[in-house]
Amino acid sequence: FSEKVANFEIDSKWFYENVEILRKKFVAEFVAISNKEVIASGEDFNIVVEEVEHKGKNPAYVVIEYVYPEGTVVLL
């Protein structure tokens, strides 16, 4: 379990460090990242989750983030 959480943290950090590169190919899409690699992407979150499951991975342990267009401000 702790290894999966550690890998999740590594992939999450990788996403934020590489978001500018990802934005060139996946803008306005969800991306699923495992082992510092995009394993699924698309505009529909549920379809991305299905792709992750189809590849034999548990979506709970895979980083799935939305790639916002450059300059987008997200208020939480």
Side-chain angles (χ1 to χ4, degrees):
F1 174 76
S2 62
E3 181 182 336
K4 290 180 180 182
V5 172
N7 289 340
F8 185 93
E9 290 176 357
I10 290 167
D11 287 336
S12 181
K13 181 179 178 188
W14 183 87
F15 170 80
Y16 287 103
E17 289 174 345
N18 292 280
V19 71
E20 294 300 325
I21 295 166
L22 295 170
R23 189 172 281 136
K24 292 177 183 174
K25 185 173 181 184
F26 304 104
V27 69
E29 290 187 20
F30 291 95
V31 293
I33 299 167
S34 180
N35 298 317
K36 299 180 182 179
E37 178 182 338
V38 176
I39 62 168
S41 66
E43 294 179 5
D44 186 310
F45 178 81
N46 293 320
I47 291 174
V48 172
V49 169
E50 287 175 10
E51 285 184 38
V52 169
E53 291 172 334
H54 183 71
K55 293 185 179 191
K57 303 226 180 241
N58 182 340
Y61 298 111
V62 174
V63 173
I64 302 176
E65 290 282 354
Y66 188 74
V67 182
Y68 289 96
E70 189 173 359
T72 300
V73 176
V74 179
L75 301 175
L76 302 175

